[in-house]
Amino acid sequence: MNWITNYVRPRINSIFSRRELPENLWTKCDGCGTMLFHREVTDNLGVCTNCRHHMNITPRARFTALFDGGIFSEIDVPEPLADPLHFRDQKKYPDRLRAAQKNTGEREAMLVATGEIGRTPVVCAAQDFSFMAGSMGMYVGNAIIKAAEEAKKLKRPLILFSAAGGARMQEGILSLMQMPRTTVAVQMLREAGLPYIVVLTHPTTGGVTASYAMLGDVQIAEPNALICFAGPRVIEQTIREKLPEGFQRAEYLLEHGMLDRVTDRREMRGELVTILRMLMGLPPAVHGDLPAPEADAAK
Ligand SMILES: [Zn+2]
């Protein structure tokens, strides 16, 4: 309006706001609305200490918590053809991709890495829901195939963390083709006699649920994760009936025989180690001996 409101007041505000607590110091829980200290959230792997709500975490944060000493090596994924359909809605597909890359700092919606978990060598793939809703396009297909090939080459089990809104519509039929492609990749592991373990995280939906996310030798889910093909709202509108409480949530699916386990994220690592060592015919991990990266380094 005038010099004071336009110039002086913003300057004064900016000086005072700088003295406020730094950004990201507090995180609000989506489950119960409690303000949580950022450190506390990180220490608990994104699980609310008040209501046990499991927030979305990035593949990188997950891998850092999962691998011994937070050490893993990334596996390069072959680049698919860029924007083969020249797709455009409100924005061009390449622009959407670039924006997602800028926001997440990642190349695409899946990260593949190899390393040791509780001294058990593994290959891991994790889907990134913050990258275009983790949607399955050609890159994600390539990533799963690469992960399976690497697991076969190294004779290691494959662990996959799923999180996706489904197929990537910007790639049309090509994204749907990732369903049979990834199914063949899983079959390849099966023929090689290597375990394939799926950890379903919130939400895992659409074509992802209809392919590689439901083909694990062991199916584990995080608490209260939504796991479905068509979402509850779509089903409710179609059948015009009220759905039961907790429909399509992890606990409901466990009760109805769709899952083997529902595991708290903070206990996931220990559980994966036990299952993997059992399936790989390795001696059980000594209790209290995990992760012991220092002991490894001293050897
Ligand atoms: Zn909460």
Side-chain angles (χ1 to χ4, degrees), residues 70 72 86 113 125 207:
F72 57 89
H86 303 288

Side-chain angles (χ1 to χ4, degrees), residues 29-34 36 47-53 55:
C29 169
D30 305 324
C32 63
T34 307
L36 298 159
V47 179
C48 173
T49 45
N50 186 46
C51 71
R52 248 183 104 225
H53 171 71
M55 303 172 198

Side-chain angles (χ1 to χ4, degrees), residues 287-298:
H287 195 67
D289 196 21
L290 303 171
E294 290 85 0
D296 273 348

Side-chain angles (χ1 to χ4, degrees), residues 177-224:
M177 283 176 187
Q178 307 315 311
M179 292 166 67
R181 283 184 85 213
T182 53
T183 304
V184 171
V186 172
Q187 186 58 31
M188 191 172 75
L189 285 177
R190 198 150 293 164
E191 279 162 15
L194 293 165
Y196 170 54
I197 295 175
V198 180
V199 179
L200 299 124
T201 75
H202 178 77
T204 297
T205 64
V208 172
T209 312
S211 59
Y212 60 88
M214 276 293 171
L215 296 172
D217 297 312
V218 182
Q219 294 282 136
I220 309 172
E222 288 189 341
N224 204 34

Side-chain angles (χ1 to χ4, degrees), residues 6-198:
N6 285 344
Y7 183 75
V8 177
R9 199 183 286 164
R11 283 296 290 268
I12 290 171
N13 283 347
S14 80
I15 289 164
F16 280 99
S17 62
R18 250 180 266 152
R19 291 212 197 124
E20 294 273 309
L21 294 167
E23 264 188 304
N24 301 330
L25 197 57
W26 295 91
T27 309
K28 192 175 172 187
C29 169
D30 305 324
C32 63
T34 307
M35 293 303 279
L36 298 159
F37 196 46
H38 189 66
R39 242 312 256 298
E40 198 184 349
V41 176
T42 318
D43 289 349
N44 283 282
L45 312 177
V47 179
C48 173
T49 45
N50 186 46
C51 71
R52 248 183 104 225
H53 171 71
H54 282 52
M55 303 172 198
N56 280 325
I57 58 168
T58 63
R60 218 164 274 280
R62 196 180 281 280
F63 284 177
T64 306
L66 197 68
F67 284 106
D68 294 351
I71 301 160
F72 57 89
S73 39
E74 263 180 70
I75 296 169
D76 284 335
V77 175
E79 284 288 330
L81 200 64
D83 193 20
L85 305 179
H86 303 288
F87 190 92
R88 180 185 192 137
D89 43 57
Q90 284 139 335
K91 276 192 210 166
K92 284 184 192 160
Y93 177 38
D95 292 344
R96 274 193 198 280
L97 263 184
R98 263 194 296 275
Q101 284 165 347
K102 195 163 166 247
N103 287 340
T104 58
E106 296 292 348
R107 165 75 196 87
E108 251 280 3
M110 189 169 265
L111 192 67
V112 184
T114 178
E116 290 192 354
I117 303 177
R119 301 191 189 175
T120 318
V122 295
V123 175
C124 269
Q127 216 154 355
D128 192 347
F129 194 75
S130 56
F131 193 106
M132 292 184 78
S135 51
M136 171 186 63
M138 290 182 286
Y139 185 94
V140 168
N142 284 358
I144 293 167
I145 291 165
K146 185 72 193 169
E149 282 172 350
E150 205 66 21
K152 193 182 161 187
K153 192 177 88 190
L154 301 168
K155 294 191 173 60
R156 293 180 177 195
L158 174 62
I159 307 171
L160 185 129
F161 295 85
S162 68
R168 187 169 291 173
M169 65 160 192
Q170 288 87 346
E171 292 182 15
I173 186 75
L174 296 164
S175 73
L176 294 180
M177 283 176 187
Q178 307 315 311
M179 292 166 67
R181 283 184 85 213
T182 53
T183 304
V184 171
V186 172
Q187 186 58 31
M188 191 172 75
L189 285 177
R190 198 150 293 164
E191 279 162 15
L194 293 165
Y196 170 54
I197 295 175
V198 180

